[in-house]
Short mmCIF file of all heavy atoms in Angstrom, two decimals:
data_model
loop_
_atom_site.label_atom_id
_atom_site.label_comp_id
_atom_site.label_asym_id
_atom_site.label_seq_id
_atom_site.Cartn_x
_atom_site.Cartn_y
_atom_site.Cartn_z
N ILE N 824 -5.79 37.50 6.13
CA ILE N 824 -4.65 36.56 6.19
C ILE N 824 -4.92 35.46 7.20
O ILE N 824 -4.71 34.27 6.93
CB ILE N 824 -3.35 37.30 6.53
CG1 ILE N 824 -3.02 38.37 5.47
CG2 ILE N 824 -2.20 36.33 6.70
CD1 ILE N 824 -2.69 37.84 4.12
N GLU N 825 -5.41 35.83 8.38
CA GLU N 825 -5.67 34.85 9.43
C GLU N 825 -6.79 33.89 9.03
O GLU N 825 -6.70 32.68 9.27
CB GLU N 825 -6.01 35.55 10.74
CG GLU N 825 -4.86 36.34 11.36
CD GLU N 825 -3.64 35.48 11.64
OE1 GLU N 825 -3.81 34.30 12.03
OE2 GLU N 825 -2.51 35.98 11.48
N GLU N 826 -7.83 34.40 8.42
CA GLU N 826 -8.93 33.52 7.99
C GLU N 826 -8.47 32.58 6.88
O GLU N 826 -8.83 31.39 6.87
CB GLU N 826 -10.12 34.34 7.52
CG GLU N 826 -11.32 33.46 7.13
CD GLU N 826 -12.56 34.25 6.77
OE1 GLU N 826 -12.58 35.47 7.00
OE2 GLU N 826 -13.51 33.63 6.25
N ALA N 827 -7.68 33.09 5.94
CA ALA N 827 -7.16 32.25 4.87
C ALA N 827 -6.31 31.11 5.43
O ALA N 827 -6.43 29.95 5.01
CB ALA N 827 -6.35 33.09 3.88
N SER N 828 -5.48 31.43 6.42
CA SER N 828 -4.64 30.42 7.05
C SER N 828 -5.50 29.38 7.77
O SER N 828 -5.24 28.17 7.67
CB SER N 828 -3.66 31.07 8.02
OG SER N 828 -2.87 30.11 8.69
N ALA N 829 -6.52 29.85 8.49
CA ALA N 829 -7.39 28.93 9.23
C ALA N 829 -8.15 27.99 8.30
O ALA N 829 -8.46 26.85 8.66
CB ALA N 829 -8.37 29.73 10.09
N ARG N 830 -8.45 28.45 7.10
CA ARG N 830 -9.18 27.64 6.13
C ARG N 830 -8.26 26.83 5.22
O ARG N 830 -8.72 26.16 4.29
CB ARG N 830 -10.08 28.53 5.27
CG ARG N 830 -11.23 29.17 6.04
CD ARG N 830 -12.06 30.09 5.16
NE ARG N 830 -13.18 30.68 5.87
CZ ARG N 830 -14.38 30.14 5.95
NH1 ARG N 830 -14.63 28.97 5.38
NH2 ARG N 830 -15.35 30.75 6.63
N GLY N 831 -6.95 26.92 5.45
CA GLY N 831 -6.01 26.14 4.67
C GLY N 831 -5.73 26.69 3.29
O GLY N 831 -5.32 25.95 2.39
N CYS N 832 -5.92 27.98 3.11
CA CYS N 832 -5.67 28.62 1.81
C CYS N 832 -4.28 29.27 1.82
O CYS N 832 -3.96 30.02 2.74
CB CYS N 832 -6.73 29.68 1.52
SG CYS N 832 -8.44 29.08 1.51
N ASN N 833 -3.52 29.00 0.80
CA ASN N 833 -2.21 29.64 0.70
C ASN N 833 -2.12 30.64 -0.45
O ASN N 833 -1.04 31.07 -0.83
CB ASN N 833 -1.10 28.59 0.59
CG ASN N 833 -1.16 27.82 -0.70
OD1 ASN N 833 -2.18 27.79 -1.40
ND2 ASN N 833 -0.06 27.12 -1.05
N LEU N 834 -3.28 31.00 -1.02
CA LEU N 834 -3.34 32.03 -2.05
C LEU N 834 -4.51 32.97 -1.75
O LEU N 834 -5.65 32.53 -1.60
CB LEU N 834 -3.52 31.43 -3.44
CG LEU N 834 -3.76 32.43 -4.59
CD1 LEU N 834 -2.58 33.38 -4.74
CD2 LEU N 834 -4.03 31.69 -5.90
N VAL N 835 -4.20 34.25 -1.62
CA VAL N 835 -5.22 35.28 -1.45
C VAL N 835 -5.27 36.10 -2.74
O VAL N 835 -4.24 36.62 -3.19
CB VAL N 835 -4.91 36.21 -0.26
CG1 VAL N 835 -5.89 37.39 -0.23
CG2 VAL N 835 -4.99 35.44 1.05
N VAL N 836 -6.45 36.17 -3.35
CA VAL N 836 -6.66 36.98 -4.54
C VAL N 836 -7.50 38.19 -4.15
O VAL N 836 -8.68 38.05 -3.81
CB VAL N 836 -7.34 36.18 -5.66
CG1 VAL N 836 -7.59 37.07 -6.88
CG2 VAL N 836 -6.48 34.98 -6.07
N SER N 837 -6.90 39.36 -4.18
CA SER N 837 -7.58 40.59 -3.80
C SER N 837 -7.78 41.47 -5.02
O SER N 837 -7.12 41.32 -6.04
CB SER N 837 -6.78 41.35 -2.74
OG SER N 837 -5.57 41.86 -3.30
N HIS N 838 -8.71 42.42 -4.88
CA HIS N 838 -8.88 43.40 -5.95
C HIS N 838 -7.82 44.49 -5.81
O HIS N 838 -7.09 44.77 -6.74
CB HIS N 838 -10.27 44.02 -5.90
CG HIS N 838 -10.56 44.92 -7.06
ND1 HIS N 838 -10.59 44.49 -8.37
CD2 HIS N 838 -10.81 46.26 -7.12
CE1 HIS N 838 -10.85 45.51 -9.18
NE2 HIS N 838 -10.98 46.59 -8.43
N HIS N 839 -7.72 45.10 -4.62
CA HIS N 839 -6.77 46.17 -4.41
C HIS N 839 -5.42 45.61 -3.96
O HIS N 839 -5.36 44.75 -3.09
CB HIS N 839 -7.28 47.14 -3.35
CG HIS N 839 -8.53 47.86 -3.75
ND1 HIS N 839 -9.63 47.98 -2.92
CD2 HIS N 839 -8.88 48.48 -4.90
CE1 HIS N 839 -10.58 48.65 -3.55
NE2 HIS N 839 -10.16 48.95 -4.75
N PRO N 840 -4.33 46.11 -4.52
CA PRO N 840 -3.00 45.66 -4.11
C PRO N 840 -2.65 46.09 -2.69
O PRO N 840 -3.13 47.13 -2.21
CB PRO N 840 -2.06 46.33 -5.13
CG PRO N 840 -2.93 46.75 -6.26
CD PRO N 840 -4.27 47.05 -5.66
N MET N 841 -1.80 45.30 -2.03
CA MET N 841 -1.25 45.72 -0.74
C MET N 841 -0.20 46.80 -0.94
O MET N 841 -0.02 47.68 -0.11
CB MET N 841 -0.59 44.53 -0.04
CG MET N 841 -1.49 43.45 0.44
SD MET N 841 -0.59 42.26 1.49
CE MET N 841 0.66 41.62 0.32
N ILE N 842 0.52 46.73 -2.05
CA ILE N 842 1.68 47.58 -2.29
C ILE N 842 1.42 48.44 -3.52
O ILE N 842 1.14 47.91 -4.60
CB ILE N 842 2.95 46.74 -2.50
CG1 ILE N 842 3.13 45.74 -1.35
CG2 ILE N 842 4.17 47.63 -2.64
CD1 ILE N 842 4.19 44.69 -1.62
N PHE N 843 1.49 49.75 -3.36
CA PHE N 843 1.35 50.67 -4.48
C PHE N 843 2.67 51.32 -4.85
O PHE N 843 2.87 51.75 -5.97
CB PHE N 843 0.31 51.75 -4.17
CG PHE N 843 -1.10 51.32 -4.47
CD1 PHE N 843 -1.95 50.97 -3.44
CD2 PHE N 843 -1.57 51.28 -5.77
CE1 PHE N 843 -3.25 50.58 -3.71
CE2 PHE N 843 -2.88 50.90 -6.04
CZ PHE N 843 -3.73 50.55 -5.01
N ARG N 844 3.57 51.43 -3.90
CA ARG N 844 4.86 52.05 -4.16
C ARG N 844 5.95 51.30 -3.40
O ARG N 844 5.65 50.40 -2.60
CB ARG N 844 4.82 53.54 -3.77
CG ARG N 844 4.42 53.77 -2.32
CD ARG N 844 4.29 55.26 -2.04
NE ARG N 844 3.24 55.87 -2.86
CZ ARG N 844 1.97 55.92 -2.50
NH1 ARG N 844 1.58 55.38 -1.34
NH2 ARG N 844 1.08 56.48 -3.28
N GLY N 845 7.21 51.65 -3.68
CA GLY N 845 8.32 50.93 -3.12
C GLY N 845 8.35 50.92 -1.60
O GLY N 845 8.02 51.91 -0.95
N ILE N 846 8.70 49.77 -1.01
CA ILE N 846 8.85 49.64 0.44
C ILE N 846 10.32 49.37 0.74
O ILE N 846 10.91 48.40 0.25
CB ILE N 846 7.97 48.49 0.98
CG1 ILE N 846 6.49 48.82 0.76
CG2 ILE N 846 8.24 48.26 2.46
CD1 ILE N 846 5.55 47.72 1.21
N LYS N 847 10.94 50.23 1.57
CA LYS N 847 12.36 50.12 1.85
C LYS N 847 12.65 49.20 3.03
O LYS N 847 13.76 48.69 3.17
CB LYS N 847 12.95 51.51 2.12
CG LYS N 847 12.91 52.44 0.90
CD LYS N 847 13.56 53.77 1.21
CE LYS N 847 13.58 54.68 -0.02
NZ LYS N 847 14.22 55.99 0.26
N ARG N 848 11.67 48.98 3.88
CA ARG N 848 11.89 48.13 5.04
C ARG N 848 10.56 47.52 5.48
O ARG N 848 9.49 48.06 5.18
CB ARG N 848 12.53 48.91 6.18
CG ARG N 848 11.73 50.12 6.63
CD ARG N 848 12.46 50.94 7.67
NE ARG N 848 13.69 51.51 7.13
CZ ARG N 848 13.74 52.67 6.45
NH1 ARG N 848 12.63 53.36 6.19
NH2 ARG N 848 14.88 53.12 5.99
N LEU N 849 10.66 46.38 6.18
CA LEU N 849 9.48 45.70 6.72
C LEU N 849 9.57 45.67 8.24
O LEU N 849 10.12 44.75 8.83
CB LEU N 849 9.37 44.28 6.16
CG LEU N 849 9.03 44.15 4.68
CD1 LEU N 849 9.11 42.71 4.24
CD2 LEU N 849 7.62 44.70 4.41
N THR N 850 9.05 46.72 8.87
CA THR N 850 9.12 46.84 10.31
C THR N 850 7.76 46.72 10.98
O THR N 850 7.66 46.81 12.20
CB THR N 850 9.76 48.18 10.70
OG1 THR N 850 8.93 49.26 10.21
CG2 THR N 850 11.16 48.30 10.11
N GLY N 851 6.71 46.59 10.17
CA GLY N 851 5.36 46.55 10.72
C GLY N 851 4.80 47.90 11.07
O GLY N 851 3.81 48.01 11.79
N ALA N 852 5.43 48.96 10.54
CA ALA N 852 5.00 50.32 10.87
C ALA N 852 3.69 50.70 10.20
O ALA N 852 2.98 51.57 10.67
CB ALA N 852 6.09 51.32 10.48
N THR N 853 3.37 50.05 9.07
CA THR N 853 2.13 50.35 8.35
C THR N 853 1.30 49.08 8.23
O THR N 853 1.78 47.96 8.43
CB THR N 853 2.42 50.89 6.94
OG1 THR N 853 3.04 49.87 6.15
CG2 THR N 853 3.34 52.10 7.01
N VAL N 854 0.03 49.26 7.89
CA VAL N 854 -0.86 48.11 7.71
C VAL N 854 -0.34 47.21 6.59
O VAL N 854 -0.34 45.98 6.71
CB VAL N 854 -2.29 48.59 7.39
CG1 VAL N 854 -3.18 47.41 7.04
CG2 VAL N 854 -2.88 49.35 8.57
N ALA N 855 0.11 47.82 5.48
CA ALA N 855 0.63 47.05 4.36
C ALA N 855 1.82 46.20 4.78
O ALA N 855 1.92 45.01 4.43
CB ALA N 855 1.01 47.97 3.21
N GLU N 856 2.74 46.79 5.56
CA GLU N 856 3.91 46.05 6.03
C GLU N 856 3.50 44.87 6.91
O GLU N 856 4.03 43.77 6.78
CB GLU N 856 4.87 46.98 6.78
CG GLU N 856 5.56 48.01 5.89
CD GLU N 856 6.45 48.94 6.69
OE1 GLU N 856 6.86 48.55 7.82
OE2 GLU N 856 6.74 50.06 6.23
N ARG N 857 2.54 45.10 7.80
CA ARG N 857 2.10 44.03 8.70
C ARG N 857 1.42 42.90 7.93
O ARG N 857 1.60 41.72 8.24
CB ARG N 857 1.16 44.61 9.77
CG ARG N 857 1.86 45.53 10.76
CD ARG N 857 0.99 45.83 11.97
NE ARG N 857 -0.13 46.69 11.67
CZ ARG N 857 -0.08 48.02 11.66
NH1 ARG N 857 1.05 48.65 11.97
NH2 ARG N 857 -1.16 48.73 11.39
N CYS N 858 0.67 43.25 6.89
CA CYS N 858 0.02 42.23 6.07
C CYS N 858 1.04 41.41 5.28
O CYS N 858 0.91 40.19 5.14
CB CYS N 858 -0.98 42.89 5.11
SG CYS N 858 -2.48 43.51 5.92
N ILE N 859 2.07 42.07 4.76
CA ILE N 859 3.11 41.37 4.02
C ILE N 859 3.84 40.39 4.93
O ILE N 859 4.06 39.22 4.57
CB ILE N 859 4.10 42.38 3.39
CG1 ILE N 859 3.40 43.24 2.34
CG2 ILE N 859 5.29 41.65 2.77
CD1 ILE N 859 4.23 44.41 1.87
N VAL N 860 4.21 40.87 6.12
CA VAL N 860 4.91 40.01 7.07
C VAL N 860 4.04 38.81 7.44
O VAL N 860 4.51 37.66 7.50
CB VAL N 860 5.32 40.81 8.32
CG1 VAL N 860 5.86 39.87 9.40
CG2 VAL N 860 6.37 41.86 7.97
N ALA N 861 2.75 39.04 7.69
CA ALA N 861 1.84 37.96 8.06
C ALA N 861 1.70 36.95 6.93
O ALA N 861 1.70 35.73 7.16
CB ALA N 861 0.48 38.53 8.43
N ALA N 862 1.58 37.44 5.68
CA ALA N 862 1.45 36.54 4.54
C ALA N 862 2.68 35.67 4.38
O ALA N 862 2.59 34.46 4.15
CB ALA N 862 1.17 37.36 3.27
#
């Protein structure tokens, strides 16, 4: 996320999803949550 921002990219295309199942809150408790918040 940080490298994409530094290079001026606003779209990240990944192979593996950040989210596989439902997320009830975004508190930064997991890596996926922190990545979502950063994006």
Side-chain angles (χ1 to χ4, degrees):
I824 299 294
E825 293 302 323
E826 183 175 349
S828 178
R830 293 178 179 271
C832 302
N833 67 342
L834 173 61
V835 172
V836 178
S837 69
H838 187 62
H839 296 133
M841 292 189 298
I842 308 168
F843 275 104
R844 56 185 62 88
I846 296 178
K847 295 183 178 180
R848 58 185 63 85
L849 291 173
T850 62
T853 66
V854 173
E856 291 178 22
R857 291 193 289 274
C858 288
I859 295 169
V860 171

